[in-house]
């Protein structure tokens, strides 16, 4: 059997072999034996390939554990027995299965069988009936684990693509919700769904995402986190440019703002893009709280970001080069705290930061109950022992604990990892050049952020380029009557969510 190269790449010893039977134009054989042998050859005759013959001329072929046994027995086997004179058209009409089709190419038959369909072949016909009775196991819906909130819905995506799409359609009951399915991965054939709101989402951004997905030449796609790195504007940047969320309400809120969503089969995290830097510090619960409280929480998160990144480097720089910035009343307890410490501040800070990261990683990888115990007991025991042994000062221990605690306030797990990572080079620069090193790191990070984009949209929007009207609903969560306009980041076709006039209910007079 001859198969074409799907990507017009010639085989050689130095090029990747993209050859795959995805463009096979060979017809379905008339003979029953030739058809069975063709399926065996293409699928490498696996042990779970089931072939059932029903005299005189009907053959069923399917892969065990991919099909629903009850539907197979009640709706297919019961209808194909003792029907020697049926044609593929009449037999398909007799099947009470919604998803059935007739194919005349082997590639269609192979695609059906690996996706959980049953092939029904009638001898002397160059066609095959493909009946989709796939049975895919998935876990039940549960509460979000990484994006938990008190006020709001308590349901999260799971690994089933159909379940996730149904959750989205429960929130957005509109024919304008567009759903495009794409297969990615030469060997995995992973189903990826592109979602956007027609009449709101920018056609240019939709085409950009569609083109990036279509141009992927990969062997496999397992999770949505891998996909984000493949289609990011800058995959070398440590800062995420697309949001991974497990919350369908946040996903739908993004779609209604003109953003584009991507759902990957087998992944419990969906992708939302474009995304600005400040939006990684916003939570869906902010929309459910009163605007004063939500604004306070947002400001607290941003303050925690700067505290986590710069507090420890400031300590290292002050003790190494700039004693004059330390208040005089604080010099005595600080000197007493470091009297027995034999290491320079940079080594002391890096040691404690690494210990904190080790405890965090161990707590995340161990089973839940053991991980919590290791995190609490390990932190107390190691911290106390380190101070008593003179390895570190108790003041630095407090600073490191505050920095670690502040890094967990980010609603985005990906951004939280970035905060913990960039702290290390800033500490090193502070240890070598003091405040000048910190300013060098600040300038480098700021220039890097200003150069980033998400689907071509400015990453630091609305601060760069400056849009004064957009700034009011970025750090500050404005009252709902003042949030009628969609963010300019997404370049929406429809700028307004509702009537921009303030919503002020009239009081009834008695």
């Amino acid at each position: 059997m001859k198969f074409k190269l799907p990507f017009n790449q010639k085989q050689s010893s130095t090029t990747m072999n993209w050859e795959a039977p995805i463009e096979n134009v060979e017809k379905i054989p008339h003979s029953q034996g030739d058809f069975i042998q063709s399926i065996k050859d293409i699928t490498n005759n696996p042990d779970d390939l089931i072939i059932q013959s029903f005299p005189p001329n009907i053959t069923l072929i399917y892969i065990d554990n991919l099909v629903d046994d009850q539907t197979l027995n009640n709706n297919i086997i019961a209808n194909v027995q003792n029907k020697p004179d049926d044609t593929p058209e009449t037999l398909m009409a007799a099947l009470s299965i919604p998803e059935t089709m007739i194919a005349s190419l082997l590639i269609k038959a192979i695609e059906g069988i690996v996706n959980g369909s049953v092939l029904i072949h009638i001898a002397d016909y160059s066609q095959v009936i493909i009946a989709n009775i796939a049975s895919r196991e998935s876990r039940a819906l549960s509460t979000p684990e990484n994006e938990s909130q008190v006020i709001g819905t308590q349901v999260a995506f799971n690994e089933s693509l159909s379940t996730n799409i149904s959750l989205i359609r429960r929130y957005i009951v509109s024919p304008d919700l567009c759903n495009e399915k794409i297969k990615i991965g030469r060997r995995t054939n992973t189903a990826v769904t592109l979602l956007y709101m027609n009449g709101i989402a920018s056609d240019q951004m939709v085409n950009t995402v569609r083109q990036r997905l279509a141009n992927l030449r990969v062997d496999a796609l397992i999770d949505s986190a891998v996909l984000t790195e493949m289609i990011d504007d800058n995959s070398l940047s440590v800062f995420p440019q697309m949001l991974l969320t497990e919350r369908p309400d946040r996903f739908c809120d993004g779609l209604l703002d003109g953003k584009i969503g991507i759902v990957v089969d087998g992944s419990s995290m969906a992708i939302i893009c474009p995304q600005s830097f400040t939006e990684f510090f916003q939570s869906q619960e902010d929309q459910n709280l009163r605007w004063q409280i939500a604004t306070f929480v947002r400001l607290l998160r941003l303050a925690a970001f700067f505290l986590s990144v710069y507090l420890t480097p400031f300590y290292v720089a002050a003790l190494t080069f700039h004693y004059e910035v330390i208040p005089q009343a604080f010099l005595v307890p600080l000197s007493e705290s470091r009297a027995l410490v034999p290491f320079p501040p940079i080594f002391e800070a890096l040691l404690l930061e690494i210990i904190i990261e080790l405890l965090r990683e161990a707590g995340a990888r161990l089973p839940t109950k053991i991980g919590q115990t290791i995190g609490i007991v390990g932190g107390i025991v190691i911290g106390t022992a380190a101070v008593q042994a003179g390895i570190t000062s108790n003041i630095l221990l407090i600073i490191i604990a505050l920095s670690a605690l502040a890094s967990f306030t980010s609603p985005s797990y990906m951004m939280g990892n970035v905060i913990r990572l960039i702290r290390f080079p800033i500490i090193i620069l502070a240890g070598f050049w003091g405040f000048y090193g910190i300013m060098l790191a600040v300038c480098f990070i700021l220039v890097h952020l200003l150069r980033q984009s998400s689907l071509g949209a400015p990453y630091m929007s609305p601060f760069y380029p400056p849009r004064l009207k957009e700034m009011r609903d970025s750090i500050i969560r404005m009252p709902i009557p003042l949030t009628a306009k969609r963010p300019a980041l997404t370049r929406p076709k429809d700028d307004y969510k509702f009537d921009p006039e303030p919503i002020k209910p009239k009081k009834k007079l008695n």
Side-chain angles (χ1 to χ4, degrees), residues 87-302:
T87 64
E89 290 79 6
T90 57
L91 184 57
M92 185 180 71
L95 299 177
S96 56
I97 297 174
E99 295 185 36
T100 55
M101 62 176 291
I102 295 178
S104 58
L105 299 178
L106 270 176
I107 179 57
K108 294 296 183 181
I110 296 302
E111 287 179 355
I113 196 173
V114 297
N115 283 293
S117 297
V118 175
L119 306 182
I120 307 173
H121 181 263
I122 303 176
D124 300 329
Y125 285 93
S126 60
Q127 295 174 319
V128 64
I129 302 173
I130 303 175
N132 185 5
I133 56 170
S135 174
R136 297 187 179 273
E137 298 294 333
S138 63
R139 63 185 175 93
L141 296 176
S142 60
T143 58
E145 295 183 2
N146 300 317
E147 298 176 83
S148 59
Q149 63 184 30
V150 178
I151 302 176
T153 59
Q154 303 295 329
V155 65
F157 289 127
N158 64 9
E159 290 75 18
S160 173
L161 179 62
S162 58
T163 302
N164 294 340
I165 297 298
S166 66
L167 285 174
I168 296 169
R169 289 200 175 274
R170 289 180 187 177
Y171 283 94
I172 305 178
V173 187
S174 171
D176 292 331
L177 178 61
C178 298
N179 181 345
E180 300 179 12
K181 186 174 289 187
I182 305 171
K183 294 285 187 178
I184 297 179
R186 180 174 67 99
R187 298 194 182 276
T188 59
N189 280 316
T190 305
V192 176
T193 298
L194 175 67
L195 297 110
Y196 58 92
M197 294 297 297
N198 186 30
I200 299 179
S202 166
D203 292 336
Q204 181 181 357
M205 288 188 174
V206 173
N207 291 332
T208 300
V209 177
R210 188 186 293 124
Q211 182 179 3
R212 291 182 184 181
L213 294 175
N215 291 340
L216 288 178
R217 299 292 184 265
V218 295
D219 203 52
L221 177 62
I222 303 299
D223 194 78
S224 56
V226 180
L227 183 61
T228 58
E229 190 173 352
M230 293 179 181
I231 63 176
D232 270 343
D233 289 27
N234 182 10
S235 59
L236 299 179
S237 175
V238 68
F239 289 91
Q241 295 126 52
M242 298 183 180
L243 177 67
L244 285 172
T245 179
E246 61 179 346
R247 300 194 62 90
D249 54 346
R250 186 171 191 179
F251 184 88
C252 294
D253 190 57
L255 294 182
L256 295 172
D257 278 339
K259 297 185 179 182
I260 300 152
I262 304 173
V263 182
V264 179
D265 190 17
S267 175
S268 61
M269 304 290 286
I271 304 171
I272 280 287
C273 56
Q275 196 78 1
S276 66
F277 176 75
T278 55
E279 287 179 322
F280 284 97
F281 298 93
Q282 298 175 6
S283 171
Q284 186 61 30
E285 192 175 19
D286 296 347
Q287 307 298 326
N288 304 327
L289 299 173
R290 305 293 293 182
W291 71 272
Q292 301 92 335
I293 301 174
T295 299
F296 170 75
V297 174
R298 284 187 182 181
L299 293 173
L300 185 65
R301 294 193 195 109
L302 287 174

Side-chain angles (χ1 to χ4, degrees), residues 9 35 44 74 146 169 180 202 239 262 287 319 361 388 422 453 498 507:
Q9 295 184 6
F35 174 71
N44 299 305
N74 298 338
N146 300 317
R169 289 200 175 274
E180 300 179 12
S202 166
F239 289 91
I262 304 173
Q287 307 298 326
L319 287 186
E361 188 67 16
Q388 292 179 351
I422 64 177
S453 63
F498 52 86
K507 296 182 179 181

Side-chain angles (χ1 to χ4, degrees), residues 68-80:
D68 185 0
D69 294 333
Q70 184 176 0
T71 305
L72 176 66
N73 295 325
N74 298 338
N75 297 71
I76 295 182
I77 294 180
N79 289 322
V80 303

Side-chain angles (χ1 to χ4, degrees), residues 405-426:
L405 185 63
S407 67
F408 291 108
T409 59
S410 172
S412 172
Y413 178 77
M414 304 295 289
M415 185 58 71
N417 288 335
V418 173
I419 295 173
R420 288 188 288 271
L421 177 63
I422 64 177
R423 195 161 56 218
F424 285 93
I426 299 178

Side-chain angles (χ1 to χ4, degrees), residues 86 327 366 444 458 505:
D86 278 5
L366 289 172
F444 178 82

Side-chain angles (χ1 to χ4, degrees), residues 450-494:
L450 293 177
R451 289 169 56 88
Q452 297 307 306
S453 63
S454 179
L455 290 186
Y459 190 58
M460 290 302 292
S461 177
F463 301 98
Y464 179 82
R467 296 188 180 98
L468 296 179
K469 291 184 179 180
E470 296 287 329
M471 290 181 187
R472 63 183 184 180
D473 197 34
S474 56
I475 296 178
I476 299 175
R477 209 282 268 173
M478 299 300 292
I480 290 180
L482 300 179
T483 60
K485 195 171 183 180
R486 291 186 171 91
L489 174 74
T490 61
R491 298 195 288 272
K493 294 181 181 179
D494 185 2

